[in-house]
Amino acid sequence: MKNKEPAQYRAAGGVRYEFKRKRVKNINLRVRADGSVAVSAPLGAPLAQVDAFVAGRARWIEAARVRALARGEEEQRPCSVSREDALALFTQVSDAVFPLFAQVLNGQRPVLKVRQMKTRWGVCVPAKRQITFSLRLAEKPRAAVEYVVLHEYAHFVRADHSPAFWAVVARYMPDYKARRRLLAPSVQGGMESPEGPPPILKRKNGALFAVLVLPAQGRGFKMAGYMIYYYS
């Protein structure tokens, strides 16, 4: 694309980052698995606004870098729980959760599997009536395990992460947000602006992913809000 500029390296708020202009609508910030920071912005976005966005999130970026590096170290460490013991744990928790969703599942328990996963704690495939859990989830506190199990069961009701899905989770586990935080630093721990919209979860190559929404206003841009997420 002839209007696309080459990557350059900038610094703002003590954060050194790789910057690229692209044909995108928003300013996107990503903390990679190795701790490096990458930012892309619309072709016409002012550099001062990009720098201000990065500098204003310097503390959050540093926290995400620590999380990313800690996650890398964790992945190199052998799991302390065997696959058999992990499956036994997940089955025990699943047996307690199943009655809440028995009607949706027509009385048939889902098939449970365990495997190494880097980006998710669990995956539900409603069409196969199957849930796969990350082996490392077995190392987490029981309250966190119970959250993930119920979260995956809730996908038998709603396959997305819409407000209706979270309503199902909250109905059966009102304290799910506190339980979800027990999964940190390796799983989603979103940070958002107080005035911004609630998180719309999506995964982006296992990195912190931030968006500054910039709807066009005449010749310039107006900040409509931002969202910052961290994903394992």
Side-chain angles (χ1 to χ4, degrees):
M1 294 182 290
K2 61 182 181 180
N3 292 327
K4 183 178 178 181
E5 297 182 3
Q8 57 178 287
Y9 289 91
R10 301 181 60 79
V15 177
R16 186 170 186 270
Y17 67 95
E18 178 186 306
F19 175 68
K20 288 184 179 181
R21 291 188 182 277
K22 298 181 179 180
R23 293 186 181 278
V24 294
K25 296 181 179 180
N26 309 312
I27 295 177
N28 303 292
L29 182 152
R30 186 159 54 105
V31 176
R32 302 186 179 110
D34 62 1
S36 61
V37 180
V39 178
S40 61
L43 300 177
L47 283 176
Q49 189 169 33
V50 176
D51 285 343
F53 177 59
V54 174
R57 275 103 220 144
R59 182 173 58 86
W60 293 349
I61 292 169
E62 180 57 28
R65 291 184 72 253
V66 171
R67 288 178 176 180
L69 295 174
R71 173 175 167 266
E73 293 178 359
E74 181 178 336
E75 289 178 354
Q76 299 301 315
R77 174 183 58 79
C79 185
S80 62
V81 182
S82 70
R83 198 175 295 266
E84 293 74 20
D85 288 344
L87 181 58
L89 170 62
F90 301 146
T91 300
Q92 182 184 62
V93 177
S94 175
D95 287 345
V97 173
F98 172 72
L100 301 174
F101 298 88
Q103 185 174 359
V104 174
L105 290 164
N106 296 317
Q108 295 181 298
R109 296 178 186 275
V111 175
L112 305 183
K113 295 186 176 183
V114 179
R115 66 181 176 88
Q116 293 279 6
M117 293 195 289
K118 293 184 177 181
T119 61
R120 300 182 182 183
W121 293 118
V123 177
C124 178
V125 183
K128 295 183 178 180
R129 196 166 35 82
Q130 174 182 300
I131 301 176
T132 302
F133 295 106
S134 168
L135 176 60
R136 290 196 180 276
L137 176 62
E139 296 182 315
K140 298 300 180 179
R142 174 72 177 231
V145 174
E146 291 172 349
Y147 158 69
V148 174
V149 172
L150 187 136
H151 178 118
E152 299 308 329
Y153 262 92
H155 280 307
F156 289 117
V157 180
R158 299 285 305 194
D160 53 23
H161 285 107
S162 65
F165 166 82
W166 291 111
V168 174
V169 175
R171 182 191 314 158
Y172 297 118
M173 189 174 284
D175 64 340
Y176 79 88
K177 291 182 179 179
R179 292 169 178 259
R180 184 172 60 185
R181 285 194 291 271
L182 296 174
L183 295 167
S186 298
V187 80
Q188 59 200 31
M191 290 177 284
E192 57 182 291
S193 71
E195 71 278 3
I200 302 174
L201 301 181
K202 53 186 176 180
R203 299 182 183 276
K204 185 73 172 182
N205 298 328
L208 177 147
F209 183 56
V211 179
L212 176 60
V213 182
L214 297 172
Q217 294 269 324
R219 293 184 178 181
F221 294 89
K222 177 182 178 183
M223 182 170 69
Y226 64 86
M227 295 174 283
I228 297 181
Y229 307 111
Y230 176 78
Y231 301 101
S232 64

